[in-house]
Amino acid sequence: MDERVRDERSDIQTALEQLTAAMKNSEEYVRFKRAEAKVAEFSGLQQRIDEFRKNWYALQSSGAPDLFEQIDQVEENNMDFRENPYVQEFLASELALCRMFQQVNWTIMQNLDFDTDFLRG
């Protein structure tokens, strides 16, 4: 392998390690890990959250024509569950962490002049 290519890979690996360390120290990640630890104190709560997350993701990815009606139904079916402050904090912190992941991804794509116009059509 060319020495220059090896050095570039090393630079990328170093940058990834630095990015990962920065993300682990971010407010979003620390908040998420704190919420995750709190949820773990309650038997079965993480499983309920995971089931909700799985269903929510499937619903959002379904492209169903009656998506808004289905969302309303999921919200209604899980109203008491979603009122739990530990569940609220977990889901809110997870959302903030996911938004950070999205920001990192989009920033990289935009700065590498990666064409994403096909996604708009």
Side-chain angles (χ1 to χ4, degrees):
M1 182 182 313
D2 184 297
E3 188 67 30
R4 186 179 61 96
V5 171
R6 189 178 330 211
D7 288 345
E8 288 173 0
R9 286 188 181 166
S10 177
D11 289 347
I12 291 170
Q13 186 60 40
T14 299
L16 285 172
E17 290 168 3
Q18 291 170 344
L19 175 61
T20 301
M23 291 174 81
K24 282 184 177 180
N25 290 317
S26 71
E27 180 181 324
E28 293 88 349
Y29 185 76
V30 170
R31 178 182 173 200
F32 175 76
K33 294 306 283 183
R34 195 171 33 242
E36 185 179 58
K38 194 64 178 172
V39 163
E41 294 177 13
F42 299 93
S43 177
L45 188 55
Q46 185 65 57
Q47 290 83 1
R48 284 193 68 199
I49 290 172
D50 289 346
E51 186 64 27
F52 174 79
R53 293 161 72 206
K54 178 181 166 186
N55 292 337
W56 192 254
Y57 179 78
L59 178 61
Q60 289 177 321
S61 302
S62 72
D66 60 341
L67 183 61
F68 293 112
E69 292 169 16
Q70 290 185 27
I71 287 173
D72 288 343
Q73 186 64 44
V74 169
E75 288 286 333
E76 187 176 315
N77 291 345
N78 292 283
M79 191 173 298
D80 62 325
F81 170 70
R82 298 272 319 264
E83 289 177 0
N84 180 318
Y86 300 116
V87 171
Q88 288 177 0
E89 177 58 18
F90 180 91
L91 295 174
S93 65
E94 179 187 51
L95 180 59
L97 187 60
C98 288
R99 286 187 175 148
M100 181 175 60
F101 293 152
Q102 290 172 331
Q103 179 185 11
V104 168
N105 185 47
W106 279 106
T107 300
I108 291 169
M109 288 174 60
Q110 288 173 338
N111 285 289
L112 291 178
D113 193 29
F114 186 76
D115 180 21
T116 58
D117 289 341
F118 67 94
L119 295 172
R120 295 186 190 139

